[in-house]
């Protein structure tokens, strides 16, 4: 279920019930959990109405006592169960959870909070696993909410709202570059928004401001290196590699991202040749619109044969890193030399 149902429930003020929060967007988890917490933090004795359990240290008797105890000078009590191990949960544990949730008092809310990526199939309706049993009990008494990375349009709107709240305007091209450089992790973006808002000095923010102020993530810099290769700018590619080496970016990440970048470019060229629309390309390659707009010009600068060679060369370098003793960064430098030699040879044919 999306966060929209959760938003409506919180807005209604009827916060009691069961919740299961999972997914890879930590910012939204904390945002909505924060709204539930505020309902108890405004009470005179919040420490008695907000109870946190780490499941690995929790006893069911303690959880039962917490549920049976009325809120102190308040109408609502919040109980968080952090990092429940659904993958290894036993059937009897799931049944005990389900029994508690089906008898949940109106004044209490229980939140099962999972961090990091979680396989959503664990909680599929109709399942018979312990995780599915707990999820079914949560659905009967509340909401199971998966927090996914926001879509491009929602993410852009969220960024605009945050700048507007600070009295700062920002151009669409600057927003696109911000996401391209920093990714779609909302915690990281929130920090970059704070930096940019402080830098604005009562004027609209531009893409150049983003380049000046924001810290590009490894993926962006590695893609920039692949784009430099297709443009024939090997000096820039080596400079980027030197920066990545200085920041100790894992060589395995560099080679894997390079390989994927060249592969995306090759697939985009093939899709263009087949007359595919940008929307169809983005859907087939699972790229957001801003990612496709970044790949298209880089792909157009190189022949399909060069891109195919680059993909193979990256795979060979990756295999070498994993199978023989070698200096990893030197292997990547050798890869750049191979690509430059191959590219020059193609031009002389």
């Amino acid at each position: 279920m999306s966060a929209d149902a959760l938003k409506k429930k919180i807005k209604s003020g009827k916060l009691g019930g069961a919740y299961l929060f999972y997914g890879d967007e930590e910012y939204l988890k904390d945002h909505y959990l924060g709204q539930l917490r505020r309902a108890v933090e405004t009470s005179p004795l919040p420490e008695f109405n907000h109870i946190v359990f780490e499941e690995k240290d929790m006893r069911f008797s303690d959880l039962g006592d917490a549920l049976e105890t009325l809120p102190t000078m308040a109408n609502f009590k919040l109980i968080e169960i952090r990092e429940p191990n659904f993958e290894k949960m036993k059937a009897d544990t799931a049944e005990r959870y389900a029994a508690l949730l089906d008898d949940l008092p109106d004044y209490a809310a229980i939140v099962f909070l999972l961090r990091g990526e979680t396989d959503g199939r664990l909680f599929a309706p109709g399942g018979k696993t312990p995780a599915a049993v707990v999820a079914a009990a949560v659905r009967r008494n509340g909401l199971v909410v998966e927090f996914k990375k926001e879509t491009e349009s929602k993410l852009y709107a969220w960024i605009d709202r945050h700048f507007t709240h600070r009295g700062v305007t920002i151009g669409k091209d600057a927003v696109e570059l911000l996401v391209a450089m920093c990714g779609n992790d909302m915690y990281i973006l929130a920090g970059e928004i704070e930096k940019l808002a402080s830098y604005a000095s009562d004027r609209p923010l531009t893409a150049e401001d983003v380049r000046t102020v924001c810290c590009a993530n490894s993926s962006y810099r590695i893609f920039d290196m692949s784009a430099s290769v297709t443009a024939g700018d090997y000096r820039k590619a080596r400079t980027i590699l030197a920066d990545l080496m200085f920041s100790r970016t894992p060589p395995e990440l560099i080679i894997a991202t390079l390989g994927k970048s060249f592969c995306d470019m090759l697939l985009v060229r093939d899709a263009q040749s087949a007359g595919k629309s940008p929307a169809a390309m983005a859907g087939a390659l699972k790229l957001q619109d801003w990612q496709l707009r970044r790949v298209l010009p880089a792909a157009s600068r190189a022949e399909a044969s060069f891109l195919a060679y680059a993909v193979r060369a990256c795979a060979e370098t990756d295999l070498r890193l994993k199978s023989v003793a070698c200096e990893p960064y030197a292997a990547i430098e050798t890869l750049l030399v191979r690509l430059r030699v191959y590219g020059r040879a193609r031009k002389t044919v």
Side-chain angles (χ1 to χ4, degrees):
M1 184 175 290
S2 72
D4 292 336
L6 175 60
K7 189 185 302 183
K8 290 179 182 177
K9 183 172 176 64
I10 291 174
K11 190 174 182 180
S12 74
K14 299 177 181 179
L15 305 180
Y19 303 86
L20 194 162
F21 290 176
Y22 74 99
D24 53 7
E25 184 47 79
E26 302 298 332
Y27 183 94
L28 290 178
K29 283 183 206 171
D30 288 337
H31 172 74
Y32 287 106
L33 184 58
Q35 294 195 30
L36 293 175
R37 287 172 177 166
R38 277 194 287 277
V40 294
E41 288 169 354
T42 55
S43 64
L45 296 171
E47 62 272 19
F48 292 101
N49 300 317
H50 182 202
I51 302 169
V52 177
F53 291 109
E54 300 288 342
E55 197 205 41
K56 59 184 177 65
D57 301 320
M58 185 190 74
R59 295 181 301 182
F60 266 92
S61 59
D62 294 333
L63 177 58
D65 290 343
L67 284 170
E68 291 175 7
T69 305
L70 290 169
T72 303
M73 300 179 69
N75 297 318
F76 177 66
K77 170 181 280 190
L78 175 64
I79 298 171
E80 294 179 35
I81 301 176
R82 296 178 178 173
E83 297 299 328
N85 193 342
F86 284 111
E87 291 185 355
K88 296 183 179 179
M89 185 174 288
K90 295 180 180 178
D92 61 334
T93 300
E95 292 296 340
R96 295 179 74 178
Y97 273 133
L100 281 170
L101 296 177
D102 285 334
D103 195 31
L104 201 61
D106 294 338
Y107 56 73
I110 290 183
V111 179
F112 294 93
L113 179 63
L114 289 164
R115 294 293 186 186
E117 294 184 9
T118 304
D119 187 350
R121 291 175 296 183
L122 284 170
F123 311 120
K128 303 300 181 183
T129 63
V133 169
V134 177
V138 172
R139 288 190 184 94
R140 288 195 297 272
N141 301 284
L143 299 171
V144 175
V145 185
E146 180 182 9
F147 292 95
K148 298 179 179 180
K149 294 294 184 185
E150 288 284 32
T151 62
E152 181 177 333
S153 59
K154 286 186 176 181
L155 189 62
Y156 287 0
W158 176 82
I159 292 170
D160 280 333
R161 284 198 305 272
H162 276 254
F163 278 114
T164 300
H165 178 72
R166 291 163 177 78
V168 177
T169 58
I170 183 169
K172 183 179 178 181
D173 58 337
V175 173
E176 291 182 356
L177 182 60
L178 174 62
V179 175
M181 285 180 59
C182 303
N184 58 358
D185 184 293
M186 295 171 78
Y187 263 122
I188 293 174
L189 288 170
E192 299 299 331
I193 288 169
E194 288 290 343
K195 288 160 54 179
L196 283 165
S198 300
Y199 181 77
S201 299
D202 300 323
R203 62 177 177 79
L205 287 165
T206 66
E208 190 57 37
D209 293 326
V210 174
R211 292 189 186 92
T212 300
V213 174
C214 296
C215 299
N217 61 25
S218 297
S219 295
Y220 180 86
R221 289 185 290 164
I222 297 168
F223 180 86
D224 203 16
M225 183 163 67
S226 69
S228 299
V229 168
T230 62
D233 191 347
Y234 287 89
R235 177 175 294 180
K236 182 178 179 180
R238 289 195 302 272
T239 299
I240 295 171
L241 178 58
D243 290 341
L244 293 167
M245 291 165 59
F246 181 78
S247 61
R248 297 187 178 181
T249 305
E252 298 82 5
L253 174 62
I254 296 175
I255 196 64
T257 307
L258 269 179
K260 183 181 185 307
S261 298
F262 288 127
C263 187
D264 285 345
M265 292 177 198
L266 180 60
L267 293 172
V268 164
R269 281 195 67 98
D270 289 344
Q272 284 179 310
S273 299
K276 300 291 185 182
S277 68
M281 280 187 255
L285 299 177
K286 296 182 179 179
L287 297 174
Q288 292 195 15
D289 290 344
W290 65 265
Q291 291 173 313
L292 181 63
R293 287 193 293 272
R294 183 176 63 164
V295 171
L296 279 168
S300 65
R301 289 193 292 260
E303 295 180 356
S305 58
F306 176 83
L307 294 172
Y309 176 80
V311 171
R312 291 195 302 272
C314 287
E316 291 165 3
T317 304
D318 183 55
L319 180 62
R320 185 183 177 199
L321 292 181
K322 294 174 180 176
S323 58
V324 300
C326 65
E327 205 294 308
Y329 292 121
I332 299 173
E333 290 176 323
T334 301
L335 168 65
L336 292 180
V337 172
R338 288 179 61 190
L339 295 176
R340 183 173 188 177
V341 170
Y342 183 87
R344 283 182 170 178
R346 291 290 302 172
K347 289 181 180 179
T348 58
V349 173

